Amino acid sequence: MRNSTYLKMGMNMLVHSKLRSWLTIIGIVIGVGSVIGIVSLGDAMKANVQSNLADLDLTKITISPGYTRASSNTMMDGDPTNGPGTSGAGASTTDAELTDDNIDALQGLDSIQYISGEISGSEKVKYIGKSATLSITGVDPQVWKYMTTLKTQSGRLLEPADKYVAVIGSDIASETFDHDIGVNQVITINNKSVRVVGILKEGGMGDDSNIYMPIDGAVELIEDAEDDVYDSITVKAKNEDLVDGLSEEIIDKLMISRHIIQEDDRDFSVTASKSMADSINEMLSSLTLFLGAIAAVSILVGSVGIANTMFTSVLEKTKEIGTMKAIGAKNRDILMIFLFNSAMVGLVGGFLGVFLGSILSSGLQSMMGNTTLGGGVSPYLIVGGLILAVLTGVTSGVIPAYRASKLKPVDALRYE
């Protein structure tokens, strides 16, 4: 027989067993739809996170006071779930200080492009009769504009000659006070007038509600701040490939300069943005794989349904099989007819499953309240879903088809 004949006879079996076929197809629809819905949602979440990480400077390394032994088993030093310098299991030191001596110790490392110390704190900020407690970060204006990935929507970033000036986040400029703050407007921080020279573009990551100003001015305005003592030291590597090696060099250098011999005596943490990004991507991939594996159970259930339907179909058509063999049909012909039938069950279920998966993906994204994921079902996922459905149908029908092909004509014709 020709393949077109197999296809025609397989289609006839599907059409003439409507109820049983559709009940079987529903199992495949649910399975394929679940897999496509969850995997496409995972892909959309990953794309969304990667879009946000694109704004992250992957050459940035942050050194913070304090160290937790447990974090040494994670990414370099900084566990992204703990944050730099935070405490977890194991010993922790948090009263250590970072000073100019530490910056001097690192200056000679070849892989460093820029290095600077930063201080931070929260102070009362006033503007036209209203006040709010806001976060202030003091940065080195000599190098900050070369190290930061922040962009201004108006005005400029800090310049080396600046002192009592500030670059403010977009939320502070338009939402924190009753009146919008523009470039060259003056705000008051701890009774000191500070001129706004720049307003940052909206970008999230906490920068929309932060004030950046030169560290010399910030030391005078932030309570408890001291000259040459930093809350963190930021290092920018010359390129992304050098980050891992540079992080190790920083640890070694600081261990020596701070006269620390034992790892347990460490009093600083080193966090690389690149390691954080890698960890987040790895976590999302694992989550997608895990959810996809759960959804794949539905495929398994659907395949059992197809196998059951095919066994029943073989029993119902035993006499027809005997007749076909009596007039010349070969074992291969019987095998192919049933395989085509099971493949078509999978294919129809696959098409409907893709449709269901698209609806499921959009619905899940809406439930998460994020319509910006942009999660249409990708072409590779549609093709993959159809191939998966057809393979499920074929593999589920192999054994029933094989048993049908091995029936002897005489026994098949006598079957009641």
Side-chain angles (χ1 to χ4, degrees):
M1 293 184 185
R2 297 178 179 177
N3 287 336
S4 58
T5 305
Y6 299 144
L7 182 63
K8 183 179 178 181
M9 297 185 72
M11 182 66 76
N12 285 335
M13 292 171 63
L14 179 65
V15 171
H16 289 94
S17 304
K18 290 181 179 176
L19 179 60
R20 188 172 63 233
S21 297
W22 278 109
L23 289 175
T24 306
I25 287 171
I26 287 173
I28 297 296
V29 171
I30 294 173
V32 173
S34 300
V35 171
I36 287 182
I38 290 176
V39 173
S40 65
L41 177 64
D43 287 346
M45 290 174 63
K46 191 173 181 179
N48 185 259
V49 170
Q50 287 177 337
S51 175
N52 290 331
L53 290 178
D55 296 330
L56 194 65
D57 184 0
L58 299 182
T59 63
K60 180 180 175 182
I61 301 171
T62 303
I63 305 163
S64 307
Y67 176 64
T68 303
R69 278 206 303 266
S71 67
S72 64
N73 296 322
T74 60
M75 33 156 285
M76 201 56 62
D77 273 352
D79 182 348
T81 60
N82 288 342
T86 56
S87 299
S92 175
T93 304
T94 57
D95 56 353
E97 291 182 343
L98 298 174
T99 65
D100 267 342
D101 292 338
N102 301 132
I103 293 179
D104 293 340
L106 300 176
Q107 289 284 9
L109 295 178
D110 294 335
S111 301
I112 291 180
Q113 186 174 21
Y114 297 110
I115 181 170
S116 72
E118 295 184 0
I119 62 172
S120 59
S122 296
E123 298 296 336
K124 183 172 289 186
V125 180
K126 294 181 180 178
Y127 181 66
I128 311 183
K130 294 291 183 180
S131 64
T133 301
L134 300 174
S135 297
I136 300 172
T137 301
V139 298
D140 183 353
Q142 301 278 352
V143 297
W144 184 60
K145 67 178 180 181
Y146 303 111
M147 299 180 70
T148 186
T149 56
L150 298 173
K151 304 293 182 185
T152 57
Q153 64 181 21
S154 59
R156 61 172 174 82
L157 295 176
L158 301 175
E159 298 289 348
D162 290 335
K163 186 172 182 181
Y164 297 114
V165 300
V167 174
I168 63 175
S170 57
D171 285 354
I172 297 175
S174 58
E175 298 181 8
T176 304
F177 300 98
D178 292 341
H179 300 81
D180 290 352
I181 303 176
V183 174
N184 289 325
Q185 300 291 317
V186 176
I187 58 177
T188 303
I189 304 176
N190 276 346
N191 299 318
K192 181 72 178 178
S193 296
V194 175
R195 184 168 60 91
V196 175
V197 296
I199 297 172
L200 296 173
K201 286 183 178 177
E202 184 177 355
M205 305 289 284
D207 295 309
D208 296 339
S209 303
N210 202 29
I211 296 175
Y212 293 91
M213 60 182 301
I215 193 167
D216 288 345
V219 166
E220 297 178 15
L221 301 181
I222 296 177
E223 190 176 356
D224 299 331
E226 300 177 41
D227 286 330
D228 302 329
V229 176
Y230 307 109
D231 293 314
S232 65
I233 294 174
T234 302
V235 173
K236 183 177 178 64
K238 288 181 178 176
N239 65 63
E240 192 177 323
D241 296 334
L242 299 173
V243 169
D244 292 339
L246 179 57
S247 297
E248 295 288 352
E249 288 184 287
I250 289 172
I251 293 173
D252 294 340
K253 276 283 186 182
L254 290 183
M255 291 275 283
I256 295 172
S257 68
R258 296 170 76 88
H259 308 293
I260 299 170
I261 299 175
Q262 300 293 330
E263 180 74 13
D264 290 348
D265 296 330
R266 285 266 303 274
D267 60 358
F268 63 91
S269 299
V270 177
T271 306
S273 299
K274 178 174 178 289
S275 298
M276 293 179 65
D278 291 343
S279 297
I280 292 172
N281 282 328
E282 186 177 344
M283 183 177 66
L284 282 173
S285 296
S286 299
L287 179 64
T288 302
L289 186 62
F290 175 70
L291 293 176
I294 293 176
V297 173
S298 302
I299 293 285
L300 180 62
V301 174
S303 68
V304 172
I306 292 178
N308 183 51
T309 300
M310 295 303 298
F311 276 117
T312 305
S313 180
V314 169
L315 291 176
E316 288 180 349
K317 297 183 179 302
T318 299
K319 279 197 172 182
E320 291 182 37
I321 294 170
T323 302
M324 291 173 66
K325 285 199 166 185
I327 61 176
K330 300 177 181 177
N331 289 354
R332 180 178 180 277
D333 297 328
I334 304 299
L335 178 74
M336 294 302 294
I337 290 170
F338 280 94
L339 285 181
F340 267 77
N341 177 239
S342 60
M344 279 187 284
V345 170
L347 183 62
V348 174
F351 274 116
L352 296 176
V354 168
F355 180 69
L356 176 66
S358 301
I359 296 175
L360 191 62
S361 176
S362 300
L364 288 173
Q365 291 180 38
S366 298
M367 288 173 63
M368 292 174 65
N370 193 343
T371 58
T372 61
L373 291 178
V377 179
S378 61
Y380 84 86
L381 198 54
I382 293 175
V383 174
L386 292 176
I387 292 175
L388 176 65
V390 172
L391 286 178
T392 301
V394 171
T395 53
S396 302
V398 165
I399 295 177
Y402 178 77
R403 291 182 61 175
S405 68
K406 291 299 181 182
L407 285 173
K408 294 181 179 178
V410 176
D411 294 337
L413 289 171
R414 289 178 177 174
Y415 181 78
E416 295 292 339

